[in-house]
Amino acid sequence: MTTPDPDGLLAEQLLRLTRRVHRIQKRHLEQRDLGITPAQSRLLRTLAHWGSPPRMADLAERLEVVPRAVTTLVDGLEASGKVRRVPDPANRRVIRIELTDDGRGALSELRAARRSAAEEILAPLAEHQRAALGGLLDTLIDGEPVRRC
């Protein structure tokens, strides 16, 4: 008889939860009929955190994807009026990507969709369970090891 692998079980649970989160967020996005894919949503959120319009290479690095993938995402978002390409004021050969007013409006809708998806996912938890989960997730995100006595 083999002994159970608690770390393997946790890893599987995390993967299943991640897939569920993605499915639910995708459904909430589709219900709002924004015409934005999850990848485009991620690019818009990333753009919103920049103080000034980034270069495509900066976006690719931050998103941890190849530059070609960013080009495809930007093409789609530009066609729908959510972003625009603008020349760098210091170097005309460099192109930067900035949010449009339409893009900022879409970001607001995206945030609302993410909140409603999170509410659906967290609905079974009591407030104290949510607080505990938040603390555990912070620990996992920060990568701080747990000290055991």
Side-chain angles (χ1 to χ4, degrees), residues 19-140:
R19 286 191 294 265
R20 182 168 184 250
V21 167
H22 285 289
R23 274 193 320 273
I24 290 172
Q25 284 184 347
K26 184 177 179 187
R27 180 170 38 84
H28 281 260
L29 279 176
E30 289 169 352
Q31 287 171 349
R32 291 179 182 272
D33 198 28
L34 295 173
I36 296 174
T37 67
Q40 289 173 329
S41 166
R42 186 169 172 234
L43 187 136
L44 287 174
R45 290 191 321 271
T46 301
L47 266 176
H49 291 293
W50 243 286
S52 60
R55 299 172 308 139
M56 292 247 237
D58 299 328
L59 285 169
E61 184 178 330
R62 178 78 56 93
L63 294 170
E64 298 178 347
V65 297
V66 297
R68 177 69 190 128
V70 171
T71 300
T72 302
L73 292 172
V74 168
D75 287 347
L77 289 167
E78 187 176 37
S80 67
K82 308 276 187 299
V83 301
R84 70 177 144 251
R85 289 173 165 92
V86 294
D88 184 303
N91 183 347
R92 293 184 328 189
R93 293 175 299 178
V94 174
I95 299 297
R96 296 190 173 271
I97 308 303
E98 70 179 9
L99 281 171
T100 63
D101 288 341
D102 221 19
R104 281 185 274 286
L107 263 174
S108 180
E109 285 290 318
L110 290 168
R111 287 184 187 110
R114 287 173 62 110
R115 270 193 305 279
S116 62
E119 288 169 12
E120 180 179 333
I121 291 164
L122 297 172
L125 300 180
E127 193 58 42
H128 73 279
Q129 291 173 312
R130 289 178 186 209
L133 177 61
L136 292 169
L137 291 173
D138 282 343
T139 300
L140 292 174

Side-chain angles (χ1 to χ4, degrees), residues 145-149:
V146 176
R147 294 188 187 131
R148 294 188 178 149
C149 299

Side-chain angles (χ1 to χ4, degrees), residues 5-19:
D5 176 10
D7 289 339
L9 176 60
L10 281 174
E12 182 59 31
Q13 287 173 309
L14 284 171
L15 290 172
R16 288 175 49 210
L17 178 60
T18 300
R19 286 191 294 265

